[in-house]
């Protein structure tokens, strides 16, 4: 698509004469490992040992559904270096050493867990969960604690009422605590006949409510499921032992050691036994199993069995249906029990530590009130009844491999009034606007629970909870579901580089020790932001963070993550150092190898379990290999955020008159280095340009009026420059484009969260949507919509890098050709 821009006379025309197909987006295959905190023991996998005659012939046929390994799946720790033209030997050696450390970390995970799927499924066991056997289970990791109990509304905040028992079911060697809250039997009700009685808490009635007894169910399974001879009663089993004894010693065999004669050698007895098994007719086959030791090394896992019977058992489906039939429904449970902890009850976890007694908000809590009306923070037990649970209505939209048009937004400041907006208000008012504007994805910041609202949501306190300022978990599910119904993907900012240093509601000093989730000493504290740095090399911390990623995808069906401020975790100086571009800066003593390995594991887990997931890296240091496959030495991200573009435009707006702009330098920065830009997200403004002290570009242009122009001409100048900046950036983007909420119509005011410097005012913590009715803002918005429609029709973002045909600084004219 030829395009010509004249910065001196900004009359802009958007034309196109062809359409192009979307290029593919790289995805990676990965090796999985995983975790199970309640068991925490090695899982051994047995193998079937057969005799040489029984060994199956090796075949090259592939298992159905298993993908054949390709050249790109082969692991090469330095594979991407030749692609991007890096020849530095020191950096190549660092990548090899990092890969070795990665394999060691993976081995440590294997020593505790099964695969990455289980390692990232901790939320299924940790925290508060209702068990099918009329109880609630609670599990927490606090290795520094000596005693653990739950306190809350349900037990009048007593630290001794519900505590973990010592031993296997209460506290293990890894520091995991397990507490059971038994439902309370109602007056006049009889205890369960069977301790294993289960309930279905969702449906009012279940099969077990029909009154079927255990004996009837066992008889039913015996008649329908098992074949004759597969199930033996206790008497039948004793009869089998007596019959076997009679076969060995005869009908009048010895009954004492004194009567026992000398026993023949095993080989001789085995031959005699095999002869008896032949039966009457000649040529009858011998039994298809062996019971004699042929001198092989003893292996408890290498059991020689009957392959025919084994195959028959494998073909049978587990008789779970009969077990479920005994389960009773919600109505039966409500009639028989009071819940041990009710939906909406407040609770905290109580620890006795070497430093004294502590009360903490559980680390895996899914709904938290961080500071409720000046009261102490607490978790909320979230177990809504079936009629209040949100029911998903829409399927996920198809994820575009390219042409991502991302609308970045913050729920709290999305309203037009000076107050904290809610999930429901965002769903009803902002989502339709995003759809109308032509964007196909939203990126939510500040969704995860945080106590300090002025931190924009980046000082996270509770990683598994949505922010209670905006609504409930069900409200957020509705937001995601409605976005999917409009064909809009939902990405969220995830902050795993650091955490809030708050002790009462956050993870800092969680169990009284300084090294539970975070590094000790200076390394455990961010150099400038007062936050804590995760101990990414610890298996249990990895378990927590990987599970957190999978939780948001599984529970809330989000479509991707933007990993915030990777420099804070990848370097011990937290990225606050001068970077000259030397590769030595990416592999020296200040690089945190454990953090890099975590990012590799996170990307492998997400892309393996959720192939359509999108991961975005925000790294101000532009670490080499951000978007390269993990099998080729990269970190495995799909996209990276190009931070240089808005910085370049901001410098020009604040430091150079528009008549003196160098078109050559601008285009050079936008177009050059396309090796990395193929996976970049370009933008003119994101939240960083508009939040807390900074100014939006519209505010800068409208406030810097030229004295030689009248007000209407100054407005036209501001409008034209904004359009040119947007269009040039958009057409030179690398696969994706981002815009912060309100900047699509040139919002003239910055965003400022309530803090002490503004007397905690919410005056600027909102968006002036009414400006869309004014001519200046309406025209800017129409132009932004035209850009989005152009990409939807012609896939501008999906095309290869533009070719610069002409660039003249004196006339300020540039011409580029965009080809497939």
């Amino acid at each position: 698509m030829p395009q010509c821009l004249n910065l001196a006379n900004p009359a802009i025309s958007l034309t196109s004469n062809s359409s192009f197909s979307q290029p593919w987006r790289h995805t990676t295959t990965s090796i999985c490992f995983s975790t199970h905190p309640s068991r925490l023991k090695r899982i051994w996998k047995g193998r079937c040992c057969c005799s040489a005659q029984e060994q199956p012939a090796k075949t090259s046929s592939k298992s159905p559904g298993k993908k054949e390994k390709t050249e790109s799946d082969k692991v090469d720790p330095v594979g991407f270096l030749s692609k991007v033209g890096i020849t530095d030997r020191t950096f190549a050696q660092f990548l090899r050493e990092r890969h070795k450390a990665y394999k060691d970390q993976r081995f440590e995970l294997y020593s505790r867990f099964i695969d990455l799927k289980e390692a990232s499924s901790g939320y299924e066991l940790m925290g508060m969960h209702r068990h099918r056997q009329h109880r609630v289970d609670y599990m927490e990791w606090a290795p520094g604690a000596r005693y653990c109990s739950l306190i809350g509304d349900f037990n009048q905040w007593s630290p001794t009422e519900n505590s973990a028992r010592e031993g296997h079911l209460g506290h293990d060697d890894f520091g995991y605590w397990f507490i059971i809250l038994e439902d309370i039997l109602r007056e006049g009700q009889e205890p369960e006949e069977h301790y294993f009685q289960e309930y279905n808490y969702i449906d009012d009635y279940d099969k077990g409510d029909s009154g079927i007894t255990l004996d009837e169910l066992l008889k039913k399974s015996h008649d329908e499921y098992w074949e004759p001879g597969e199930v033996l009663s206790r008497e039948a089993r004793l009869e089998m032992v007596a019959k076997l004894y009679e076969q060995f010693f005869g009908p009048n065999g010895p009954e004492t050691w004194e009567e026992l004669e000398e026993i023949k050698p095993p080989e001789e007895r085995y031959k005699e036994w095999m002869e008896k098994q032949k039966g009457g007719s000649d040529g009858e086959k011998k039994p298809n199993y062996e019971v004699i030791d042929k001198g092989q090394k003893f292996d408890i896992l290498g059991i020689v069995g009957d392959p025919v019977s084994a195959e028959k058992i494998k073909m049978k489906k587990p008789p779970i249906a009969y077990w479920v039939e005994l389960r009773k429904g919600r109505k039966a449970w409500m009639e028989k029990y009071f819940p041990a902890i009710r939906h909406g009850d407040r609770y905290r976890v109580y620890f006795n530590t070497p430093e004294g007694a502590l009360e903490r908000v559980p680390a895996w809590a899914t709904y938290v009130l961080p500071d409720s009306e000046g009261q102490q923070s607490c978790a909320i037990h979230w177990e809504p009844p079936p009629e209040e649970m949100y029911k998903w209505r829409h399927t996920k939209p198809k994820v575009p491999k390219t042409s991502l048009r991302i609308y970045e937004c913050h729920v709290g400041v999305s309203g037009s009034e000076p107050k904290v907006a809610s999930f429901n208000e965002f769903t009803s008012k902002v989502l339709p606007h995003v759809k109308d504007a032509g964007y196909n994805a939203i990126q939510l910041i500040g969704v995860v629970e945080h106590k300090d609202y002025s931190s924009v949501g980046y000082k996270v306190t509770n990683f598994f909870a949505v922010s209670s300022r905006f609504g409930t978990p069900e409200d957020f599910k509705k937001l995601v579901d409605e976005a999917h119904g409009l064909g809009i993907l939902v990405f969220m900012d995830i902050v795993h580089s650091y955490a809030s240093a708050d002790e009462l509601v956050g993870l800092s000093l969680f169990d009284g020790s300084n090294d539970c989730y975070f590094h000790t000493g200076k390394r455990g504290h961010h150099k400038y932001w007062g936050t804590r740095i995760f101990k990414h090399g610890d298996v249990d911390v990895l378990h927590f963070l990987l599970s957190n990623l999978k939780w948001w995808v599984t529970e809330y069906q989000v479509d991707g993550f933007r990993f915030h401020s990777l420099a804070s975790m990848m370097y011990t100086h937290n990225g606050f150092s001068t970077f000259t571009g030397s590769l030595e800066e990416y592999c020296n003593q200040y690089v945190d190898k454990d953090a890099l390995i975590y990012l590799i594991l996170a990307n492998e887990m997400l892309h393996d379990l959720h192939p359509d997931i999108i991961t975005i890296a925000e790294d101000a240091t532009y670490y080499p290999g951000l978007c390269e496959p993990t099998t080729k030495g990269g970190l495995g991200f799909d996209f990276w955020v190009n931070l240089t573009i808005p910085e370049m435009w901001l410098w020009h707006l604040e430091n150079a008159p528009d008549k003196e702009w160098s078109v050559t330098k601008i285009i050079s920065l936008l177009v050059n280095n396309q090796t990395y830009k193929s996976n970049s997200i370009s933008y003119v403004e994101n939240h960083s340009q508009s939040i807390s002290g900074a100014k939006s570009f519209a505010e800068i242009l409208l406030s810097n009026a030229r004295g030689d122009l009248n007000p209407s001409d100054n407005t036209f100048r501001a409008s034209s420059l904004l359009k040119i900046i947007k269009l040039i950036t958009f057409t030179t983007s690398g696969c994706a484009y981002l815009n912060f909420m309100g900047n699509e119509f040139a919002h003239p005011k910055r965003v400022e969260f309530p803090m002490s410097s503004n007397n905690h005012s919410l005056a600027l913590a909102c968006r002036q949507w009414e400006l869309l009715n004014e001519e200046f803002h309406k025209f800017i918005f129409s132009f932004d919509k035209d850009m989005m429609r152009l990409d939807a029709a012609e896939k501008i973002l999906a095309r290869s890098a533009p070719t610069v045909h002409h660039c003249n600084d004196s006339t300020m004219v540039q011409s580029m050709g965009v080809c497939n």
Side-chain angles (χ1 to χ4, degrees), residues 31-68:
I31 303 169
C32 288
F33 16 66
S34 102
T35 279
H36 213 294
S38 66
R39 306 301 187 270
L40 301 171
K41 57 174 133 180
R42 190 185 297 265
I43 305 297
W44 295 91
K45 291 186 178 180
R47 57 183 175 82
C48 180
C49 295
C50 308
S51 62
Q53 294 82 1
E54 296 171 21
Q55 286 287 351
K58 290 187 178 179
T59 176
S60 60
S61 62
K62 305 294 179 185
S63 301
K66 225 173 189 180
K67 201 163 61 173
E68 188 174 354

Side-chain angles (χ1 to χ4, degrees), residues 454-473:
S454 66
S455 71
V456 197
Y458 287 122
K459 292 185 178 180
V460 175
T461 52
N462 310 98
F463 284 78
F464 289 83
V466 296
S467 179
S468 57
R469 287 183 181 87
F470 311 140
T472 67

Side-chain angles (χ1 to χ4, degrees), residues 267-475:
E267 290 81 0
E268 186 177 342
R269 287 187 286 112
Y270 177 65
K271 288 179 181 178
E272 294 178 0
W273 180 79
M274 289 292 286
E275 290 295 328
K276 292 181 181 179
Q277 302 306 311
K278 287 184 178 181
S281 58
D282 294 334
E284 189 176 343
K285 292 183 179 179
K286 295 182 180 180
N288 53 8
Y289 54 89
E290 296 182 348
V291 293
I292 191 69
D293 184 2
K294 293 188 174 180
Q296 293 123 341
K297 186 176 179 181
F298 177 73
D299 181 5
I300 193 171
L301 298 177
I303 300 171
V304 179
D306 177 8
V308 176
S309 301
E311 188 63 27
K312 187 177 179 181
I313 291 296
K314 284 182 183 178
M315 295 299 292
K316 272 184 174 293
K317 293 183 179 179
I320 297 176
Y322 296 98
W323 185 265
V324 172
E325 194 167 343
L326 195 64
R327 190 180 298 166
K328 296 182 180 180
R330 179 179 180 84
K331 192 168 184 178
W333 170 67
M334 293 291 290
E335 290 176 353
K336 196 175 186 69
Y337 294 99
F338 288 110
I341 179 171
R342 295 171 298 176
H343 169 60
D345 277 358
R346 299 173 300 158
Y347 70 98
R348 290 193 291 272
V349 60
Y350 175 94
F351 295 124
N352 192 348
T353 72
E355 305 299 323
L358 299 174
E359 292 183 17
R360 294 286 187 258
V361 173
W364 300 73
T366 58
Y367 191 47
V368 175
L369 296 180
D371 192 8
S372 178
E373 299 177 356
Q375 300 179 0
Q376 188 175 352
S377 54
C378 59
I380 302 296
H381 179 55
W382 196 255
E383 189 189 355
E387 60 272 15
E388 296 180 16
M389 295 173 63
Y390 185 78
K391 296 173 178 59
W392 297 90
R393 300 188 299 117
H394 304 289
T395 57
K396 285 189 174 186
K398 187 178 179 181
V399 178
K401 300 181 186 296
T402 52
S403 291
L404 273 176
R405 304 182 297 276
I406 305 172
Y407 191 85
E408 187 183 39
C409 37
H410 186 285
V411 172
V413 301
S414 64
S416 56
E417 300 177 13
K419 67 171 188 175
V420 179
S422 67
F423 287 132
N424 289 333
E425 289 172 329
F426 184 93
T427 302
S428 61
K429 297 178 181 179
V430 180
L431 283 183
H433 171 78
V434 176
K435 178 66 176 178
D436 179 56
Y439 292 87
N440 58 9
I442 58 172
Q443 181 176 293
L444 297 169
I445 60 177
V447 169
V448 187
E449 186 61 86
H450 51 285
K451 184 177 180 179
D452 184 6
Y453 189 49
S454 66
S455 71
V456 197
Y458 287 122
K459 292 185 178 180
V460 175
T461 52
N462 310 98
F463 284 78
F464 289 83
V466 296
S467 179
S468 57
R469 287 183 181 87
F470 311 140
T472 67
E474 310 306 306
D475 295 337

